Amino acid sequence: EAGVVQSPRYKIIEKKQPVAFWCNPISGHNTLYWYRQNLGQGPELLIRYENEEAVDDSQLPKDRFSAERLKGVDSTLKIQPAELGDSAVYLCASSYTAGLPVTDTQYFGPGTRLTVL
Amino acid sequence: AQKITQTQPGMFVQEKEAVTLDCTYDTSDQSYGLFWYKQPSSGEMIFLIYQGSYDEQNATEGRYSLNFQKARKSANLVISASQLGDSAMYFCAMREGRVLTGGGNKLTFGTGTQLKVEL
C-alpha cells in the first residue's frame, strides 16, 4: 500500500513569492492534516480536514496561508506571499476515522522542505 | 506548561544495548493517546508505537515497548537491541480526548530526542 505522497520534496524561493505544496493521502483515509516543523522542533498542526471540510484551522495564518482539499482526497497548501520565517518542513499526514475500529494513528509523508531567501 | 516534555536532547547507545527515551505529558483529559515517531535524516515521520490511556498493558511492537506510568504521566520508549539504523530523532506525541468515528484530532509533539547508536 502506498504511503502519503508529497511534492515537491524541496523548494527554494525568494521572499514575497508564492509557493504551493501538494499532498496525496493514503487511499481511504478520510482525515488529512498539514503540520509545520521548524528546525529543532516537533511538528505543529496548521489545518485538519475531515473529508473535504476544514474542521480545525485555528493555527493557520490566514492572511497568507490557504489550503484546500477538493473531493476529499488530495490537498494543496499555499503560501502567498512567503516570508523568511516560513522556512520550515511542511508535513502532510492522514488517518482513518470513518468506521470501526477507529484507529486515529497519523501516517506522515516525507515532507516538503521550504527555504525562503 | 508544556503538554509534552522530552528532557533528553541527545542520547548515545552502544549497538545491541537497550535504551530508554523519556517522555512526560500533561493533560486534564481522562481519555488520550500517546504516540512515538521516528524521524530519520530523510525527514519522514515514521509511526512506531501507540498507547491509549485506558490500555492496561504496556504497548509493544517488535523491539519497541512503551513504559506507561499513568500516575506519573510518563510514557517512555524502550528500544531493545539497538541497531545502527535506529539512529534518528524520536518524537513523543499526544492526542487529547477520545477517538471519535468520523473525526481525528491533532497531535501535540515534544521537541524530540536525537539518538545515536554507536558500534
Side-chain angles (χ1 to χ4, degrees), chain A residues 97 102 104, chain B residues 29-33 50 53-54 95-101 103-106:
Chain A
T97 59
V102 178
D104 67 336
Chain B
D29 284 345
Q30 295 301 307
S31 180
Y32 52 89
Y50 167 79
S53 58
Y54 294 115
R95 179 212 72 239
E96 292 182 276
R98 294 172 52 209
V99 179
L100 300 173
T101 303
N105 210 339
K106 75 172 186 180

Short mmCIF file of all heavy atoms in Angstrom, two decimals, chain A residues 97 102 104, chain B residues 29-33 50 53-54 95-101 103-106:
data_model
loop_
_atom_site.label_atom_id
_atom_site.label_comp_id
_atom_site.label_asym_id
_atom_site.label_seq_id
_atom_site.Cartn_x
_atom_site.Cartn_y
_atom_site.Cartn_z
N THR A 97 -10.61 7.45 10.22
CA THR A 97 -11.52 7.54 11.36
C THR A 97 -12.97 7.38 10.93
O THR A 97 -13.88 7.81 11.61
CB THR A 97 -11.36 8.90 12.07
OG1 THR A 97 -11.63 9.95 11.13
CG2 THR A 97 -9.96 9.06 12.65
N VAL A 102 -11.94 2.32 15.09
CA VAL A 102 -11.36 3.61 14.81
C VAL A 102 -9.91 3.62 15.26
O VAL A 102 -9.62 3.39 16.42
CB VAL A 102 -12.13 4.73 15.53
CG1 VAL A 102 -11.46 6.07 15.25
CG2 VAL A 102 -13.57 4.76 15.07
N ASP A 104 -6.86 6.24 15.00
CA ASP A 104 -6.53 7.59 14.55
C ASP A 104 -5.03 7.79 14.40
O ASP A 104 -4.56 8.92 14.41
CB ASP A 104 -7.11 8.62 15.50
CG ASP A 104 -6.44 8.59 16.86
OD1 ASP A 104 -5.88 7.53 17.23
OD2 ASP A 104 -6.46 9.62 17.55
N ASP B 29 -7.48 15.64 30.42
CA ASP B 29 -8.42 14.69 29.85
C ASP B 29 -8.19 13.30 30.44
O ASP B 29 -7.05 12.92 30.75
CB ASP B 29 -8.24 14.60 28.33
CG ASP B 29 -8.85 15.79 27.62
OD1 ASP B 29 -9.64 16.53 28.24
OD2 ASP B 29 -8.53 15.99 26.43
N GLN B 30 -9.29 12.55 30.61
CA GLN B 30 -9.17 11.17 31.06
C GLN B 30 -8.85 10.24 29.90
O GLN B 30 -8.24 9.19 30.08
CB GLN B 30 -10.47 10.73 31.73
CG GLN B 30 -10.79 11.49 33.02
CD GLN B 30 -9.70 11.31 34.05
OE1 GLN B 30 -9.31 10.20 34.38
NE2 GLN B 30 -9.18 12.43 34.56
N SER B 31 -9.29 10.64 28.72
CA SER B 31 -9.06 9.83 27.53
C SER B 31 -8.03 10.53 26.64
O SER B 31 -8.22 11.70 26.27
CB SER B 31 -10.36 9.63 26.76
OG SER B 31 -10.15 8.84 25.61
N TYR B 32 -6.97 9.84 26.34
CA TYR B 32 -5.93 10.41 25.48
C TYR B 32 -5.10 9.28 24.89
O TYR B 32 -5.23 8.11 25.30
CB TYR B 32 -5.04 11.40 26.24
CG TYR B 32 -4.47 10.86 27.53
CD1 TYR B 32 -3.24 10.18 27.54
CD2 TYR B 32 -5.14 11.02 28.74
CE1 TYR B 32 -2.73 9.68 28.72
CE2 TYR B 32 -4.63 10.51 29.91
CZ TYR B 32 -3.43 9.85 29.90
OH TYR B 32 -2.91 9.34 31.08
N GLY B 33 -4.28 9.60 23.93
CA GLY B 33 -3.42 8.61 23.31
C GLY B 33 -2.00 9.14 23.22
O GLY B 33 -1.79 10.35 23.04
N TYR B 50 1.87 2.96 19.87
CA TYR B 50 0.75 3.73 20.42
C TYR B 50 0.31 3.13 21.75
O TYR B 50 0.28 1.90 21.92
CB TYR B 50 -0.43 3.70 19.44
CG TYR B 50 -1.72 4.19 20.04
CD1 TYR B 50 -1.96 5.55 20.17
CD2 TYR B 50 -2.71 3.29 20.47
CE1 TYR B 50 -3.15 6.02 20.71
CE2 TYR B 50 -3.90 3.76 21.02
CZ TYR B 50 -4.11 5.12 21.13
OH TYR B 50 -5.29 5.58 21.67
N SER B 53 -4.87 5.71 26.84
CA SER B 53 -4.88 6.00 28.28
C SER B 53 -5.59 4.92 29.09
O SER B 53 -5.33 4.77 30.29
CB SER B 53 -5.53 7.36 28.55
OG SER B 53 -6.86 7.39 28.05
N TYR B 54 -6.49 4.18 28.46
CA TYR B 54 -7.20 3.12 29.18
C TYR B 54 -6.59 1.74 28.98
O TYR B 54 -7.10 0.75 29.51
CB TYR B 54 -8.67 3.10 28.75
CG TYR B 54 -9.41 4.36 29.16
CD1 TYR B 54 -9.91 5.24 28.21
CD2 TYR B 54 -9.62 4.66 30.50
CE1 TYR B 54 -10.59 6.39 28.58
CE2 TYR B 54 -10.29 5.81 30.89
CZ TYR B 54 -10.78 6.67 29.92
OH TYR B 54 -11.45 7.80 30.29
N ARG B 95 -2.43 12.76 21.71
CA ARG B 95 -3.74 13.14 21.22
C ARG B 95 -4.63 13.28 22.45
O ARG B 95 -4.78 12.32 23.21
CB ARG B 95 -4.31 12.09 20.27
CG ARG B 95 -5.70 12.44 19.75
CD ARG B 95 -6.55 11.19 19.50
NE ARG B 95 -6.98 10.57 20.73
CZ ARG B 95 -6.70 9.32 21.08
NH1 ARG B 95 -6.00 8.55 20.29
NH2 ARG B 95 -7.14 8.83 22.21
N GLU B 96 -5.22 14.42 22.66
CA GLU B 96 -6.10 14.61 23.81
C GLU B 96 -7.54 14.36 23.40
O GLU B 96 -7.96 14.72 22.31
CB GLU B 96 -5.95 16.04 24.35
CG GLU B 96 -4.59 16.29 24.97
CD GLU B 96 -4.46 17.67 25.54
OE1 GLU B 96 -4.14 18.59 24.75
OE2 GLU B 96 -4.68 17.85 26.75
N GLY B 97 -8.29 13.72 24.29
CA GLY B 97 -9.69 13.44 24.01
C GLY B 97 -9.88 12.06 23.41
O GLY B 97 -8.93 11.36 23.06
N ARG B 98 -11.15 11.72 23.27
CA ARG B 98 -11.50 10.40 22.76
C ARG B 98 -11.27 10.31 21.27
O ARG B 98 -11.28 11.31 20.56
CB ARG B 98 -12.97 10.11 23.05
CG ARG B 98 -13.32 9.96 24.51
CD ARG B 98 -14.82 9.89 24.67
NE ARG B 98 -15.40 8.86 23.80
CZ ARG B 98 -16.63 8.91 23.31
NH1 ARG B 98 -17.41 9.94 23.58
NH2 ARG B 98 -17.09 7.94 22.55
N VAL B 99 -11.10 9.08 20.81
CA VAL B 99 -11.07 8.82 19.38
C VAL B 99 -12.51 8.70 18.93
O VAL B 99 -13.26 7.89 19.44
CB VAL B 99 -10.30 7.53 19.07
CG1 VAL B 99 -10.29 7.27 17.58
CG2 VAL B 99 -8.88 7.61 19.61
N LEU B 100 -12.89 9.52 17.98
CA LEU B 100 -14.27 9.55 17.53
C LEU B 100 -14.38 9.03 16.10
O LEU B 100 -13.55 9.35 15.25
CB LEU B 100 -14.82 10.97 17.58
CG LEU B 100 -14.83 11.64 18.97
CD1 LEU B 100 -15.25 13.10 18.83
CD2 LEU B 100 -15.76 10.90 19.89
N THR B 101 -15.43 8.26 15.86
CA THR B 101 -15.69 7.85 14.49
C THR B 101 -16.01 9.08 13.66
O THR B 101 -16.85 9.88 14.03
CB THR B 101 -16.87 6.88 14.44
OG1 THR B 101 -16.58 5.77 15.27
CG2 THR B 101 -17.11 6.40 13.03
N GLY B 103 -13.94 11.49 13.08
CA GLY B 103 -13.20 12.70 13.47
C GLY B 103 -11.83 12.36 14.01
O GLY B 103 -11.71 11.56 14.93
N GLY B 104 -10.82 12.98 13.46
CA GLY B 104 -9.48 12.82 14.00
C GLY B 104 -9.22 13.91 15.00
O GLY B 104 -10.09 14.67 15.38
N ASN B 105 -8.00 14.02 15.44
CA ASN B 105 -7.61 15.07 16.36
C ASN B 105 -6.13 15.35 16.20
O ASN B 105 -5.38 14.47 15.79
CB ASN B 105 -7.92 14.67 17.81
CG ASN B 105 -8.24 15.88 18.66
OD1 ASN B 105 -7.87 17.00 18.31
ND2 ASN B 105 -8.92 15.68 19.74
N LYS B 106 -5.75 16.55 16.54
CA LYS B 106 -4.37 16.92 16.31
C LYS B 106 -3.47 16.21 17.31
O LYS B 106 -3.89 15.80 18.40
CB LYS B 106 -4.18 18.42 16.42
CG LYS B 106 -4.20 18.95 17.84
CD LYS B 106 -3.83 20.41 17.86
CE LYS B 106 -3.70 20.92 19.28
NZ LYS B 106 -3.32 22.35 19.31
#
